[in-house]
Amino acid sequence: MRKLFAKDLKIKFIETLNELDEFSYEEGNPFLIKIGTDKYFVFLKNLSPAYFKNSPDVTRVQLPYSEHFSKIFKADIPFIILGYDVDTDTVVAWNPTKVKERLNAKSNVSLYSRSSLQENVKDDEFRFGYLSNGERIIVFKRENLTNFFDIVFDLFKENAEPKTTEPKQPVTLTEISDKELLQIIKPLLKKNKVLQAVEETSKYYENKHKNMTFRDWHKLVSNLYRKMNT
């Protein structure tokens, strides 16, 4: 199995959750994130083969003893460990409550998964897996992180059932109100440089409104241009 450098793994995580409006994060790994008013400690690790001769399907992450975990253990904030499979762009999560109880219990704590689950999970689902000790794991595609934090504790309830996610409707912008962007394009519109203003607007919003086309941006900018000249 391939692995990402810790820095690159965190970048992938941040890039995915940056789609949420009220998302922020701190440095390091483990690290604190905020989604709206909710806080979570998150620890990211690459999944790797467990090298069990009779169970080649087993993968795992290993948690070393760390003073950072001692701090997290004392905090009244959920601690979520996410294992990442680079080859399938898939994430594995373990029960936050049970994981927190095992922190620093020994020099290395192993959390297990199965490569067959990671390979076969669909884009829109949270798939359940069960280990030999009966423990449940949740397997899902990385892009589904935006939905995972909404339902993480529901997924680990005893009577929970596997879930599929409805695709979120893309947000269509109807008016340009961002002050920073307006400071860029208004001077252009005053010089009748409408197309350049459209390009600047498209570039400014390219990561937030990927569903919008050049025609959509042109319409928005043209409406603003007309308002400025009436």
Side-chain angles (χ1 to χ4, degrees):
M1 296 176 71
R2 292 182 299 149
K3 291 186 179 182
L4 291 179
F5 289 114
K7 180 181 178 181
D8 294 329
L9 178 54
K10 185 168 181 179
I11 287 172
K12 269 191 175 291
F13 176 87
I14 298 305
E15 284 179 344
T16 307
L17 288 183
N18 264 338
E19 295 179 16
L20 301 175
D21 291 334
E22 296 182 289
F23 169 68
S24 63
Y25 64 95
E26 295 183 355
E27 297 302 314
N29 187 30
F31 57 102
L32 183 71
I33 70 168
K34 294 181 183 178
I35 302 175
T37 58
D38 296 324
K39 296 181 181 180
Y40 307 89
F41 278 114
V42 175
F43 189 47
L44 305 175
K45 288 278 288 184
N46 288 287
L47 283 156
S48 59
Y51 299 111
F52 292 150
K53 186 175 181 180
N54 296 324
S55 301
D57 187 40
V58 177
T59 58
R60 69 181 174 185
V61 299
Q62 289 186 295
L63 313 179
Y65 184 93
S66 171
E67 290 300 324
H68 293 297
F69 294 151
S70 299
K71 175 184 174 183
I72 290 168
F73 185 78
K74 296 173 184 176
D76 189 22
I77 297 174
F79 180 45
I80 296 175
I81 295 174
L82 300 175
Y84 182 60
D85 182 345
V86 182
D87 297 324
T88 60
D89 199 21
T90 298
V91 178
V92 178
W94 294 265
N95 190 320
T97 303
K98 293 184 178 180
V99 163
K100 201 168 185 179
E101 293 171 353
R102 295 177 64 187
L103 291 179
N104 288 348
K106 52 185 180 180
S107 58
N108 259 313
V109 173
S110 293
L111 302 176
Y112 294 100
S113 178
R114 294 192 179 277
S115 57
S116 55
L117 289 170
Q118 295 151 212
E119 291 166 359
N120 295 313
V121 66
K122 297 177 182 177
D123 290 345
D124 62 346
E125 74 174 335
F126 290 96
R127 174 171 287 198
F128 288 4
Y130 293 90
L131 306 179
S132 57
N133 62 359
E135 185 177 343
R136 178 188 299 166
I137 58 174
I138 310 298
V139 186
F140 57 96
K141 290 294 186 181
R142 174 178 55 87
E143 291 296 332
N144 232 348
L145 277 168
T146 52
N147 296 303
F148 170 73
F149 286 94
D150 287 336
I151 59 173
V152 53
F153 296 107
D154 292 331
L155 291 171
F156 284 103
K157 288 179 179 177
E158 287 187 12
N159 59 348
E161 296 181 358
K163 293 179 180 290
T164 56
T165 57
E166 294 294 331
K168 294 186 176 181
Q169 294 299 316
V171 178
T172 301
L173 202 65
T174 57
E175 183 181 5
I176 299 172
S177 58
D178 191 290
K179 292 181 180 178
E180 184 178 347
L181 176 59
L182 289 172
Q183 288 177 352
I184 296 171
I185 65 174
K186 277 190 172 182
L188 294 173
L189 294 177
K190 287 178 181 178
K191 297 177 182 179
N192 299 319
K193 296 182 177 181
V194 177
L195 286 179
Q196 190 175 341
V198 173
E199 290 176 1
E200 291 292 339
T201 302
S202 174
K203 189 189 306 180
Y204 186 86
Y205 285 119
E206 63 182 350
N207 292 323
K208 288 189 176 180
H209 299 281
K210 297 178 181 179
N211 60 305
M212 294 184 68
T213 64
F214 182 86
R215 179 181 292 180
D216 296 326
W217 296 124
H218 191 279
K219 183 178 179 181
L220 278 180
V221 173
S222 296
N223 288 340
L224 176 61
Y225 182 63
R226 281 195 294 272
K227 288 180 182 178
M228 290 174 58
N229 290 280
T230 55

